[in-house]
Amino acid sequence: MTVRLSIIIFLLLPFAVFGQNNNNNINEGLSKDIYSIMKTLIKKEKLNKKYGLALNPGKSFNIDQEDSAYLQTLLIKPKPFDTTSSNDSVIVINLSYPDKNIFTQADIEYILHAKQNLANFKWDNKKLGFNLKNEKNYYTFSIPYFNLAHDKVIVMYEFHCPGLCGGGGTILLSKTAKGWDNTTFERWVH
């Protein structure tokens, strides 16, 4: 082998082994799921594709709290119950869940682990179709993170525009027989 050929192989080998995609730290199935969720979110929230897109994802799900603290507010708490003794038997009365019982502790750990694994993720706008030339009005999205069962997804988006305008929301998408339903946890206006 010539020196020149050896150098070319040495330079190209990392691309052949690891791929050229900047999202090469995720598998094809997860990438497909992420972009499918984003297309659903864009449609359900009626986002304007004429606006731009920040290619670096937002770092959190909420504007007020760090993710691990925020996710704890969505933790499924044990069902409160009342035990009453009657005729030497125990009657259990199930009361309703408190608000925002969404994720188990295992889901939260899974989401935070996924967040670490996707630290270098960047949006591929070819799959989303925003106008990257529009730098005045643009969106920032967090990466959508799935729970363990992959039937719930949490994501935040923000709309940025010049002056005193803009806003966003933290959205939960839940899988149903008819597709993904979205629930808005928080909305804010800048």
Side-chain angles (χ1 to χ4, degrees), residues 71-72 74-77 100-108 111 145-148 151-154 172-173 185:
L71 289 171
Q72 289 297 317
L74 306 177
L75 182 65
I76 295 176
K77 296 162 186 74
K100 292 189 180 178
N101 274 327
I102 307 299
F103 297 121
T104 65
Q105 188 62 46
D107 288 330
I108 292 171
I111 290 167
Y145 291 102
F146 293 86
N147 67 344
L148 272 167
D151 62 355
K152 292 186 178 108
V153 178
I154 189 167
L172 175 77
L173 292 111
F185 286 150

Side-chain angles (χ1 to χ4, degrees), residues 39-49 51 139 157 182:
K39 288 175 184 175
T40 300
L41 176 73
I42 291 163
K43 183 178 179 182
K44 287 190 176 280
E45 293 292 309
K46 298 178 175 113
L47 302 182
N48 190 338
K49 294 254 189 132
Y51 295 163
Y139 295 104
Y157 78 93
N182 61 319

Side-chain angles (χ1 to χ4, degrees), residues 70-145:
Y70 179 70
L71 289 171
Q72 289 297 317
T73 69
L74 306 177
L75 182 65
I76 295 176
K77 296 162 186 74
K79 286 185 180 181
F81 62 90
D82 182 22
T83 58
T84 309
S85 187
S86 172
N87 297 333
D88 296 328
S89 64
V90 175
I91 301 170
V92 177
I93 302 169
N94 287 326
L95 303 175
S96 64
Y97 280 99
D99 191 26
K100 292 189 180 178
N101 274 327
I102 307 299
F103 297 121
T104 65
Q105 188 62 46
D107 288 330
I108 292 171
E109 291 168 12
Y110 180 80
I111 290 167
L112 293 174
H113 181 72
K115 186 175 177 179
Q116 288 176 338
N117 288 341
L118 295 171
N120 297 321
F121 182 88
K122 299 234 188 287
W123 292 113
D124 180 353
N125 192 50
K126 291 177 189 170
K127 296 179 180 180
L128 296 175
F130 287 98
N131 178 6
L132 295 182
K133 293 178 184 175
N134 188 344
E135 296 177 1
K136 289 185 179 183
N137 300 307
Y138 66 95
Y139 295 104
T140 300
F141 298 105
S142 73
I143 299 170
Y145 291 102

